[in-house]
Amino acid sequence: MSTYFGKMMRGFPEWLPSAKRQELAVLKTISSIYESYGYTPIETAAVEKTKSLATTGDVSKEIFGIHRLAGEGGEQRKAEFGLHFDLTLPFARYTAENAGQLQFPFKRYQIQKVWRGERPQQGRYREFYQSDIDIVGDGDLPAHFEAEVVEVVYSIFTKLNVGDFTVRINNRKLLEGYYRDLGIEDMGQTLIAIDKIDKEGSERVIEMLLENGLSQEQAEACVELAAKKFTISEGLKFVAELEAKNEVLEEAKVELTEIFNNLSHLPEGAVIFDLSIARGLDYYTGSVYECTLKGLEHCGSVCSGGRYDNLAGKFTKRSLPGVGLSIGITRLLYLLFENDRLPLLAPTPTQAVVILFDESQRPAANKVAAELRDAGINTEVSHQARKFGKQIQHAEKRGARFIIIPEEDGSCSAKDLQTGEQESLCVEKLVSLLKD
């Protein structure tokens, strides 16, 4: 039986307390990193118009429509609204509608639940938390922001301390320019096929490309390009030597050079220039990236994103190019818990329990507990007076570090449940020990 999920409807997870507390801790860490780069929080409605949702990639089958249980006369009508399945399109609408009140470049982060009507699998759910950042410019957006988003990914997974990981980056303009030079016309299907190379393998991707109308020579050339991987310094050299035979390839060279130069301060190997990364969604127009956990690459990416220039065009004629990243929080935590890369926390935030030998002590115990809480120590008073050993067991199950024991002279002593040491209560010392 799972130690982190409770019983749940299929695809709709509910964390047990120890896991939920760790989820909140992870979200706090992620939020603090976002804010350290200047991103500000927003929240959008849980629903969007279905006509907007259905035009964002091949996702119409994933949309949960919103219906009244019964319309007038019991009539069922087509759903006008659907639950959002990601946070990018809602953010694009939000930015377009509020552009006059926002400061550009607009840097936001957003942590909300999303819903997808796909078949539930291990680590993939119909309801889950997603965590996004995006930067949107007014008219233009320099490529150095694309580097910043990649650096944010690196900072997050370094800070979470969840084991080795790989941040991979590519540029769709480079792929599209290369494909154009090969005489390929169907860019969308070619990119979708290449994006599956890690999961399906080279031979299967070649088959898919042939099925899409490419020649054997074209298909093999696409797969050969996708096999190339470089560190950032190696990538700079590769891009410098790349012959730009068309305008799209030239744009890719300029953008990648700026991005790589702005990532050059990171440790060598921290970010990999991987020409197999394509991202299947149709709104990406420039750099694309993914993050995978080493040893768990077969589970797919735990963070992804890219540059988009036209998404807000669904809502406004104003040019609002952007770049962003998305982390599937629920999926990430499932992988970390399942593979022992992140510990569960204590089931409660309680740090100290004031015990009782008699119910008459409760008023005095409440006073002591209040003083401890004022000092920042999460404190409970024992729910009933009973044997000393039983109260210790209860405090340990709550995850408390200390028990506070009333003495006959009216004072209190504190017992450290980790070390077994007991001495007169000193609030300052308890605070100091809890910070260690």
Side-chain angles (χ1 to χ4, degrees):
M1 185 175 179
S2 170
T3 57
Y4 40 88
F5 279 140
K7 291 183 179 180
M8 61 179 176
M9 292 182 286
R10 184 168 169 76
F12 296 88
E14 295 176 334
W15 295 120
L16 291 171
S18 295
K20 182 63 181 179
R21 293 192 63 232
Q22 184 61 276
E23 178 189 60
L24 292 175
V26 166
L27 291 177
K28 183 177 181 180
T29 296
I30 292 174
S31 297
S32 68
I33 292 173
Y34 290 162
E35 294 192 0
S36 74
Y37 284 83
Y39 294 84
T40 191
I42 69 164
E43 183 171 329
T44 60
V47 300
E48 296 290 331
K49 290 185 177 180
T50 51
K51 65 181 181 181
S52 296
L53 293 170
T55 58
T56 308
D58 183 22
V59 294
S60 58
K61 64 181 179 296
E62 296 183 356
I63 299 170
F64 279 114
I66 302 296
H67 297 267
R68 292 179 61 184
L69 291 179
E72 293 182 12
E75 178 187 0
Q76 288 289 344
R77 295 184 299 174
K78 187 176 181 180
E80 180 182 2
F81 297 100
L83 294 170
H84 56 223
F85 53 80
D86 70 8
L87 299 177
T88 302
L89 184 130
F91 171 64
R93 180 211 28 96
Y94 174 98
T95 305
E97 292 178 350
N98 297 287
Q101 302 178 65
L102 302 176
Q103 182 184 36
F104 290 94
F106 180 45
K107 302 171 67 171
R108 83 78 165 87
Y109 74 88
Q110 191 171 349
I111 300 173
Q112 287 183 237
K113 282 190 174 182
V114 299
W115 295 266
R116 294 183 182 174
E118 59 184 0
R119 182 172 66 87
Q121 305 173 51
Q122 279 195 332
R124 293 192 180 275
Y125 309 103
R126 291 174 171 169
E127 178 184 54
F128 56 95
Y129 268 106
Q130 194 161 301
S131 171
D132 286 17
I133 59 168
D134 283 271
I135 310 166
V136 171
D138 187 4
D140 67 341
L141 188 72
H144 65 78
F145 283 116
E146 299 173 47
E148 177 179 297
V149 169
V150 174
E151 185 179 354
V152 170
V153 176
Y154 175 77
S155 298
I156 286 171
F157 284 90
T158 300
K159 185 70 172 180
L160 290 178
N161 193 27
V162 293
D164 292 337
F165 60 93
T166 303
V167 181
R168 300 184 292 170
I169 183 172
N170 195 11
N171 190 295
R172 281 176 62 148
K173 288 181 181 177
L174 187 150
L175 298 180
E176 291 179 16
Y178 184 80
Y179 298 160
R180 182 181 296 183
D181 197 45
L182 292 173
I184 296 171
E185 296 181 358
D186 191 343
M187 297 296 174
Q189 289 303 313
T190 303
L191 288 167
I192 289 172
I194 289 297
D195 196 51
K196 296 179 179 179
I197 199 165
D198 285 346
K199 184 177 180 180
E200 301 288 347
S202 298
E203 291 185 7
R204 174 56 188 145
V205 168
I206 288 176
E207 291 177 3
M208 294 167 64
L209 293 171
L210 294 175
E211 292 168 2
N212 291 338
L214 272 65
S215 68
Q216 184 73 31
E217 183 180 3
Q218 289 173 326
E220 289 179 356
C222 290
V223 169
E224 182 180 349
L225 179 69
K228 297 183 183 297
K229 295 175 175 56
F230 306 97
T231 64
I232 292 302
S233 60
E234 293 168 343
L236 276 167
K237 183 179 179 182
F238 171 82
V239 170
E241 296 174 352
L242 184 66
E243 185 179 355
K245 298 181 179 179
N246 55 62
E247 183 180 339
V248 178
L249 264 178
E250 181 60 39
E251 289 178 9
K253 286 190 63 171
V254 172
E255 291 173 9
L256 284 170
T257 299
E258 183 173 356
I259 291 168
F260 291 165
N261 278 328
N262 280 284
L263 292 172
S264 60
H265 63 287
L266 296 180
E268 184 75 351
V271 178
I272 300 298
F273 177 31
D274 186 336
L275 282 88
S276 71
I277 304 299
R279 304 297 302 152
L281 291 174
D282 62 359
Y283 51 68
Y284 290 123
T285 57
S287 66
V288 286
Y289 39 83
E290 295 183 352
C291 179
T292 53
L293 300 175
K294 286 189 178 179
L296 298 175
E297 290 87 352
H298 61 283
C299 297
S301 64
V302 293
C303 175
S304 60
R307 169 76 179 239
Y308 51 88
D309 287 331
N310 306 312
L311 189 62
K314 300 176 188 294
F315 308 103
T316 180
K317 293 181 179 179
R318 189 169 179 172
S319 175
L320 298 171
V323 61
L325 70 85
S326 178
I327 304 173
I329 297 296
T330 309
R331 169 176 166 71
L332 172 64
L333 287 174
Y334 166 80
L335 292 174
L336 296 176
F337 291 148
E338 188 72 8
N339 293 278
D340 297 322
R341 295 203 180 187
L342 192 67
L344 298 173
L345 299 184
T348 81
T350 301
Q351 297 169 306
V353 175
V354 184
I355 68 170
L356 302 173
F357 296 117
D358 187 274
E359 275 296 323
S360 64
Q361 296 174 323
R362 187 171 295 278
N366 289 340
K367 183 175 183 297
V368 172
E371 292 172 355
L372 291 170
R373 292 186 200 112
D374 287 343
I377 300 172
N378 302 330
T379 307
E380 292 184 57
V381 176
S382 185
H383 67 285
Q384 66 179 129
R386 51 182 175 166
K387 290 183 179 179
F388 185 61
K390 291 285 187 182
Q391 294 192 70
I392 291 179
Q393 290 176 5
H394 175 73
E396 289 174 334
K397 287 180 180 179
R398 302 292 285 170
R401 169 78 181 270
F402 301 99
I403 57 169
I404 310 303
I405 306 167
E407 303 292 353
E408 291 183 359
D409 62 2
S411 64
C412 291
S413 60
K415 182 179 178 67
D416 188 331
L417 296 178
Q418 288 185 6
T419 65
E421 296 179 358
Q422 181 173 330
E423 55 187 80
S424 296
L425 174 61
C426 175
V427 175
E428 291 77 13
K429 183 173 183 179
L430 264 58
V431 171
S432 176
L433 289 170
L434 288 168
K435 287 182 179 179
D436 291 342

